[in-house]
Amino acid sequence: MSKLRTIILLSCFCCMPMANAGKTNVKSPDGRISVGFSLDRKGRPCYSVSYGDKDIIRPSCMGFELSDGTSLSDGFRIKKITRERCDSLWTPVWGENDSIRENYNGMTVSLSKNKTRMDIEFRVFDDGMGFRYVFREHPDPVLVLKEEVTEFAMTGNHTAWWIPEDYDSQEFEYTESLLDEIGAPGVQTSLMMKADNGIYLNLHEAALVDFPAMHLRIDKPSKVFRAHLTPRPDGTAAEVTLPFRTPWRTVTVSDKATDILASNLTLNLNEPCKIADTSWIKPVKFMGVWWEMITGKSKWSYTDAKDFDLATFDYASATPHGQHGANNENVRRYIDFASRHGFDQLLVEGWNVGWEDWYGKEKDFVFDFLTPYPDFDIAGLNDYAHKKGIRLMMHHETSGSVANYERYLDAAYDLMRKYGYNTVKSGYVGNILPKGEYHYSQNIVNHYLNAVKKAADRRIMVNAHEAVRPTGLCRTWPNLMANESAMGQEYAEMSPRHVTILPFTRLKGGPMDFTPGIFRMDITSFAPGYQGKKKRATISNQLALYLTMYSPVQMAGDLPEHYERYMDAFQFIKDVPVDWSRSVYLDAEPGDLIVVARKDRNSSDWYVGGVTNEDAREYILGFGFLPEGEVYECTVYRDAADSDGFTNPERYEIFNTRVTSASELPLRMARAGGFAVRLHQK
Ligand code: NOJ
Ligand code: CA
């Protein structure tokens, strides 16, 4: 996949003793970002980052503590410094753009301490930098890491958009606060911040492979973040076999918020694609027998059995409760609707036995991923779907029992191939088994990637919920289409600003299956059990999410009968592509608004989406991204004068006009509102 790769080794100088190591630095290709490296008198490695004339990261410690009480954070000498230059273009299998430039200056500092050798590799791009550690030699070829001591020393009391440290979940709303008001010992990445001088910066990690996920613990007085790795059951952080490369620690920086959204730093710090033939990997637009279970209108389970044990339960003689959503008739109804409206796939949850007792029990054997419920005809329904030109999407809820899922994984994927499924939505709700492991600990991080690799062997695409937050691995394994790993639409009630923050945080690692497209906002009107749940969003806001929340798997989350109420607005969901040749972020501020224009990968059409937070705003959309002089037919879906995401969310208006690159269109966004625009050339 990698085209035109130019890596030039520039220079190297050897054996600098610690006393005269002094300082060295490496700059971005445009010269704006400078990363300094030094060893202090105690041989402690340290880095700093500046952007133009502004410091971004003050001198910060680097390294690790080992479980045997020794450390890889001091006593080092510099053996060698190697520099490299890379400027290449690569073509993502799917994405926001059809070509990505990987343009950086690299510097590798080789350190030694007795019989230990450790490199620190830096790559500095125009939009940020990353560094990682390479453990090369050690008397013991298996290192047990106790903790990482990497620091990120901030230069002031920045505003941050953060979720609290947690080893198992990212399903939280973001808090916007100053660093010294962070109400948790630590936070998760990707962490978005804005400094008083207007600089935006983002801390995350790239290429999380065979390693625990990193949290950031804050020392409020000094405004220093320190890495904290998700522990293993024995309390250590990781066991690694040499030679070993850690994930990259990343800092994205710009004086424009839109640049943070447009940055490809995380992807660029991942390895090129490892799948030789990617022709089977295709973006997917799908519907699902899903929202009706989430809202309690129907159930995943088939019976109300108590004291349930999957190994012994006899479904044939059990009495169904009559509310099973994934029954033949209902699934056929969804297939008919999804196929009539041009969708690629239909997700069916609750198709398999075991849902009677799946939630929060820490049971090893919850599902077998193989046996359909008596009223789900797996062969017949797949045949029916295929005849109608769509596929069913598989669902594997593991209930956190990774041990059990691994036992069944091969057979479960084989079953998919047998019936023609090529996409699986997996899920990890609940505490992880084996006990003591966490969703983000090293072994479980390995599990998620192994599942993706096994899936690739069978030409299966993966969309994993509750898995570790993504770190750009979809470049290497593009069958990893999306993750959830954040608070998604399943919560219904969330602050409207959430969708203006996620693209700055969670989406920096990779696409999110947010499940947009909810049209019926008062959920208790059709699912009375779902007390107090009202979506605070207008229909235009929900349409805009297909643009602002980039993903190559996009769901139309609501029920067919709700789309039937608003077929003219539903037309936008039918039209909107899920793969793009170019994306231009027009306007953005975390917590406030996001406006993005994207060009379809398969036509000359453009689409624009804009979302706002809980504030209404007058917005003037410019079309400077269009080719000059060309006329586009423009269909606008926007909030009506009386739309309001809190009190009148289902009002919208649609109109047609013509625009060129010189046009300007006033578009009012209601509270929790937005707009969606289709630009078509006849
Ligand atoms: C949580 C997932 O995020 C949701 O989409 C799914 O429906 C449930 N788990 C059940 O698997
Ligand atoms: Ca979830």
Side-chain angles (χ1 to χ4, degrees):
M1 261 192 3
S2 174
K3 310 251 155 63
L4 211 142
R5 199 167 168 84
T6 331
I7 299 186
I8 308 166
L9 295 187
L10 290 175
S11 65
C12 112
F13 38 99
C14 296
C15 296
M16 289 182 77
M18 160 175 111
N20 67 3
K23 287 183 177 169
T24 182
N25 75 347
V26 51
K27 289 189 174 186
S28 57
D30 69 1
R32 252 185 126 177
I33 299 178
S34 177
V35 177
F37 174 84
S38 63
L39 274 190
D40 71 6
R41 294 190 160 277
K42 292 189 171 155
R44 290 184 295 212
C46 169
Y47 77 103
S48 59
V49 183
S50 63
Y51 176 72
D53 58 1
K54 298 183 178 73
D55 289 336
I56 298 298
I57 308 267
R58 290 184 286 120
S60 299
C61 296
M62 312 180 91
F64 291 86
E65 290 164 6
L66 302 183
S67 69
D68 64 6
T70 61
S71 86
L72 294 180
S73 59
D74 59 10
F76 282 113
R77 285 169 171 263
I78 296 179
K79 292 286 286 180
K80 184 167 78 169
I81 295 179
T82 315
R83 289 171 187 277
E84 65 170 334
R85 168 96 188 93
C86 170
D87 192 0
S88 66
L89 286 178
W90 60 279
T91 309
V93 175
W94 42 259
E96 296 186 82
N97 295 287
D98 59 12
S99 162
I100 293 179
R101 186 172 180 194
E102 186 176 339
N103 181 23
Y104 66 83
N105 288 325
M107 175 174 81
T108 300
V109 182
S110 300
L111 301 169
S112 71
K113 171 180 176 174
N114 305 324
K115 290 191 170 144
T116 301
R117 273 197 53 213
M118 180 176 87
D119 292 350
I120 305 180
E121 295 180 2
F122 294 91
R123 288 187 187 169
V124 190
F125 299 75
D126 291 345
D127 52 354
M129 60 82 78
F131 62 88
R132 69 176 170 185
Y133 304 90
V134 187
F135 305 129
R136 294 214 170 272
E137 290 171 19
H138 188 268
D140 187 346
V142 178
L143 289 186
V144 181
L145 308 182
K146 188 166 156 233
E147 185 57 290
E148 179 167 345
V149 300
T150 305
E151 290 177 348
F152 303 85
M154 298 296 104
T155 55
N157 195 14
H158 305 331
T159 300
W161 290 265
W162 57 272
I163 55 174
E165 172 186 312
D166 194 292
Y167 301 151
D168 286 301
S169 179
Q170 293 216 272
E171 298 189 7
F172 304 107
E173 290 220 37
Y174 288 84
T175 302
E176 177 181 326
S177 82
L178 295 173
L179 292 182
D180 66 6
E181 290 167 347
I182 287 180
V187 298
Q188 302 197 43
T189 70
S190 123
L191 174 67
M192 185 65 208
M193 284 173 283
K194 185 179 184 183
D196 276 351
N197 58 12
I199 303 291
Y200 298 86
L201 68 157
N202 185 293
L203 305 181
H204 193 31
E205 60 181 311
L208 175 62
V209 177
D210 194 12
F211 213 67
M214 175 181 71
H215 298 79
L216 298 173
R217 293 238 162 122
I218 182 157
D219 177 60
K220 289 185 193 168
S222 62
K223 316 286 181 298
V224 173
F225 287 107
R226 195 177 195 209
H228 168 56
L229 301 175
T230 309
R232 303 194 304 157
D234 68 1
T236 63
E239 184 179 293
V240 300
T241 304
L242 270 54
F244 183 84
R245 291 180 161 76
T246 69
W248 296 91
R249 276 66 187 97
T250 65
V251 182
T252 312
V253 57
S254 178
D255 50 9
K256 291 190 203 71
T258 46
D259 286 350
I260 303 285
L261 297 177
S263 166
N264 287 307
L265 184 80
T266 324
L267 288 175
N268 272 331
L269 286 170
N270 274 268
E271 299 282 312
C273 181
K274 290 197 172 156
I275 301 174
D277 173 10
T278 57
S279 58
W280 52 276
I281 302 174
K282 300 249 188 285
V284 173
K285 207 192 295 184
F286 69 106
M287 291 187 68
V289 181
W290 173 74
W291 191 233
E292 58 177 81
M293 281 90 89
I294 293 281
T295 55
K297 190 172 175 270
S298 70
K299 293 183 175 169
W300 283 278
S301 63
Y302 179 70
T303 75
D304 281 330
K306 302 277 175 286
D307 301 324
F308 177 88
D309 177 4
L310 181 59
T312 54
F313 190 74
D314 177 16
Y315 278 101
S317 56
T319 314
H321 53 42
Q323 291 164 274
H324 180 221
N327 67 71
N328 290 322
E329 191 189 337
N330 199 31
V331 174
R332 272 196 296 267
R333 179 174 77 93
Y334 274 82
I335 292 173
D336 290 346
F337 186 88
S339 117
R340 190 158 67 242
H341 295 292
F343 285 84
D344 304 305
Q345 300 204 4
L346 176 74
L347 165 73
V348 186
E349 296 199 2
W351 68 276
N352 56 327
V353 295
W355 289 89
E356 275 69 15
D357 189 30
W358 72 283
Y359 189 75
K361 295 286 174 60
E362 297 191 7
K363 284 199 323 191
D364 177 279
F365 184 51
V366 193
F367 295 107
D368 68 8
F369 312 96
L370 301 173
T371 314
Y373 273 131
D375 59 349
F376 182 87
D377 172 6
I378 187 166
L381 288 169
N382 276 289
D383 265 4
Y384 187 75
H386 298 162
K387 283 194 184 109
K388 296 229 159 190
I390 72 167
R391 286 182 196 255
L392 298 188
M393 185 184 286
M394 178 48 81
H395 184 231
H396 291 163
E397 174 56 65
T398 66
S399 187
S401 183
V402 167
N404 183 50
Y405 191 34
E406 288 194 335
R407 249 174 260 140
Y408 281 95
L409 198 52
D410 286 314
Y413 284 164
D414 287 344
L415 183 89
M416 287 179 62
R417 295 310 312 174
K418 177 172 173 196
Y419 290 109
Y421 294 85
N422 70 355
T423 312
V424 60
K425 169 179 168 181
S426 54
Y428 297 86
V429 171
N431 290 343
I432 295 288
L433 291 178
K435 254 187 188 312
E437 294 284 2
Y438 295 107
H439 281 73
Y440 310 148
S441 55
Q442 183 185 19
N443 281 336
I444 307 306
V445 165
N446 286 345
H447 160 78
Y448 305 127
L449 186 55
N450 286 338
V452 168
K453 290 180 186 174
K454 263 186 197 286
D457 290 342
R458 292 170 170 86
R459 303 192 154 210
I460 287 172
M461 299 181 268
V462 177
N463 166 16
H465 281 221
E466 294 89 28
V468 69
R469 73 277 193 292
T471 55
L473 287 169
C474 57
R475 175 179 179 185
T476 315
W477 301 99
N479 66 318
L480 172 55
M481 306 298 281
N483 287 102
E484 184 192 41
S485 310
M487 180 190 266
Q489 189 109 270
E490 65 186 11
Y491 284 83
E493 266 194 4
M494 61 181 71
S495 155
R497 61 177 40 220
H498 191 55
V499 296
T500 70
I501 300 170
L502 284 172
F504 284 101
T505 53
R506 160 63 185 79
L507 270 71
K508 288 323 301 168
M512 176 172 178
D513 182 23
F514 183 76
T515 68
I518 299 302
F519 275 17
R520 199 83 183 92
M521 308 303 175
D522 182 358
I523 291 156
T524 52
S525 66
F526 64 92
Y530 210 51
Q531 284 308 323
K533 297 281 184 178
K534 261 192 185 170
K535 257 225 86 51
R536 279 164 295 178
T538 64
I539 285 181
S540 302
N541 169 285
Q542 289 290 301
L543 297 181
L545 296 177
Y546 290 90
L547 284 308
T548 60
M549 298 283 291
Y550 167 70
S551 176
V553 289
Q554 286 285 25
M555 187 180 203
D558 214 332
L559 312 179
E561 53 270 38
H562 296 168
Y563 291 132
E564 259 150 11
R565 294 159 60 103
Y566 300 115
M567 286 310 281
D568 53 353
F570 185 56
Q571 185 63 41
F572 183 82
I573 300 181
K574 292 168 63 171
D575 290 338
V576 69
V578 280
D579 203 13
W580 308 98
S581 60
R582 223 185 121 204
S583 293
V584 185
Y585 286 91
L586 300 173
D587 212 338
E589 184 64 24
D592 287 358
L593 85 164
I594 293 177
V595 182
V596 62
R598 302 191 193 272
K599 182 167 181 290
D600 182 12
R601 222 181 247 210
N602 302 305
S603 76
S604 58
D605 293 356
W606 281 83
Y607 287 76
V608 190
V611 288
T612 178
N613 59 5
E614 48 282 357
D615 296 329
R617 60 188 85 225
E618 303 298 329
Y619 190 79
I620 297 184
L621 177 64
F623 293 86
F625 55 86
L626 291 176
E628 225 180 288
E630 310 253 341
V631 180
Y632 280 77
E633 306 289 328
C634 175
T635 309
V636 180
Y637 303 74
R638 71 171 175 196
D639 295 325
D642 59 348
S643 298
D644 185 295
F646 292 72
T647 58
N648 197 14
E650 292 176 27
R651 291 272 301 127
Y652 58 88
E653 59 188 30
I654 302 173
F655 67 91
N656 294 306
T657 181
R658 284 186 174 180
V659 296
T660 66
S661 62
S663 304
E664 288 192 333
L665 212 58
L667 296 168
R668 178 184 166 273
M669 295 195 256
R671 295 197 295 168
F675 57 81
V677 177
R678 176 177 187 233
L679 298 158
H680 177 64
Q681 263 189 324
K682 285 221 163 111

